[in-house]
Amino acid sequence: MINEQALAILKDKIQPVYTKDQVQFLVGPVKLPVNLDGETVTFQWYNWLTLGKHELEGIREDEMAEHIIAKLPTMSLAEGQQSSVLVYGDFEHADDALIRMHSICHTGDIFGSKRCDCGYQLHQSMRMIVERGAGAVFYLANHEGRGIGLFSKSMAYLLQEEGMDTVEANLALGFADDSRNYDAAIGVLAHLRQRPVTLITNNPKKLAAMKESGMNLSGRVPLWGDVSEFNLKYLQTKVQRSGHLAAQEGEGRQLSLAELILEDHVS
């Protein structure tokens, strides 16, 4: 039995976003005050749940919110992961907006692991967006380990400790180097904003996904930093084997390709 008060509050806060053979149910916005470098900054947070269109056959669009709420107790959502997006400023209407498609990293984002630069990139992206005045961080929950999942990533880390790089470890476990898909996130982005966006990334595959989708992409901002003895090989592999784009001249404190691949550039 659905609580009628809950349904009345939530029904207009659940929006279906259609992408290919899936529907992303976007929930929000939720006001989320965040401690960013000692300053309280208020973001608007959205979360989405992906279902196949075949799971919704016979359900009218005006019934979908009620359908989702009714199914919640039986969906075991805590056993899986759902992606979300953190929005700042007048994201829909601002002339200029930064976005970051950030792949979940349990070890880097939560524990602060120095084996990667993920935690640094997440924090720095949020800071860059606040300084720009409008933007969004898409936190992609099915991207752990470039799409192999946390359990597999732990095994990949063990292989890396024996000398493999990140690409070799993923391939040795039977995965592709990078199996991430951005369709759902791009669909949600298109729902939230039609105006041009600038993508915070070093990854050419993210750029390609945005361009192939037809999104209004105005440019790219690189994001290198937090280089140390613990993640130097990881960062070198990103550039040398995965084709990640080095910073260009005149980009302030961003690392150039030459600096990134030097063995003695550690901190």
Side-chain angles (χ1 to χ4, degrees):
M1 182 68 179
I2 298 177
N3 182 295
E4 293 299 326
Q5 181 183 9
L7 179 60
I9 293 170
L10 295 173
K11 65 179 181 179
D12 293 329
K13 300 292 187 181
I14 303 173
Q15 300 294 323
V17 179
Y18 299 94
T19 57
K20 295 183 180 179
D21 58 348
Q22 296 178 329
V23 181
Q24 327 305 324
F25 286 95
L26 186 66
V27 176
V30 176
K31 187 180 294 184
L32 198 68
V34 173
N35 183 339
L36 193 60
D37 298 326
E39 175 188 0
T40 299
V41 178
T42 300
F43 289 81
Q44 301 298 322
W45 179 58
Y46 297 80
N47 182 254
W48 73 84
L49 173 69
T50 300
L51 294 179
K53 288 182 179 178
H54 66 279
E55 299 178 73
L56 300 165
E57 291 180 0
I59 300 171
R60 299 196 314 267
E61 185 164 320
D62 61 356
E63 298 174 331
M64 286 185 176
E66 184 173 353
H67 174 74
I68 290 296
I69 295 169
K71 283 175 61 73
L72 285 177
T74 64
M75 295 178 77
S76 301
L77 294 180
E79 300 298 325
Q81 291 277 7
Q82 294 84 53
S83 295
S84 67
V85 55
L86 200 59
V87 171
Y88 182 76
D90 188 359
F91 184 61
E92 181 180 1
H93 300 109
D95 290 336
D96 184 31
L98 286 175
I99 65 165
R100 165 77 181 164
M101 295 289 182
H102 189 86
S103 299
I104 186 173
C105 179
H106 191 101
T107 48
D109 297 341
I110 299 174
F111 298 142
S113 168
K114 300 284 284 183
R115 292 184 64 140
C116 63
D117 59 344
C118 302
Y120 166 82
Q121 289 189 320
L122 176 61
H123 181 88
Q124 187 66 12
S125 294
M126 293 168 65
R127 171 53 60 195
M128 292 165 66
I129 286 167
V130 170
E131 290 174 354
R132 183 66 64 95
V137 176
F138 288 78
Y139 197 74
L140 306 178
N142 58 343
H143 281 196
E144 184 75 63
R146 298 192 310 283
I148 70 174
L150 186 60
F151 187 68
S152 301
K153 175 180 165 178
S154 66
M155 288 183 268
Y157 268 5
L158 290 172
L159 295 179
Q160 290 168 38
E161 289 181 357
E162 297 301 319
M164 291 188 184
D165 63 30
T166 49
V167 172
E168 291 166 343
N170 276 23
L171 295 176
L173 292 172
F175 295 101
D177 166 27
D178 189 340
S179 57
R180 291 173 289 185
N181 182 283
Y182 301 94
D183 290 348
I186 291 171
V188 171
L189 169 60
H191 180 80
L192 295 175
R193 179 177 171 88
Q194 296 295 316
R195 307 196 74 178
V197 295
T198 298
L199 184 63
I200 304 172
T201 191
N202 307 318
N203 188 343
K205 292 183 178 179
K206 291 182 181 180
L207 279 172
M210 290 284 290
K211 291 175 180 177
E212 289 168 6
S213 73
M215 280 301 302
N216 197 346
L217 182 66
S218 62
R220 174 185 80 93
V221 176
L223 184 55
W224 294 107
D226 197 30
V227 183
S228 73
E229 62 183 296
F230 306 106
N231 65 15
L232 182 60
K233 183 177 179 179
Y234 165 84
L235 295 174
Q236 290 171 331
T237 302
K238 277 187 170 185
V239 174
Q240 296 168 342
R241 299 205 59 182
S242 298
H244 282 215
L245 304 167
Q248 300 169 2
E249 292 185 8
E251 289 176 338
R253 299 177 62 190
Q254 298 292 336
L255 296 175
S256 71
L257 173 59
E259 289 175 313
L260 181 63
I261 63 176
L262 283 176
E263 287 292 342
D264 61 352
H265 190 96
V266 298
S267 60

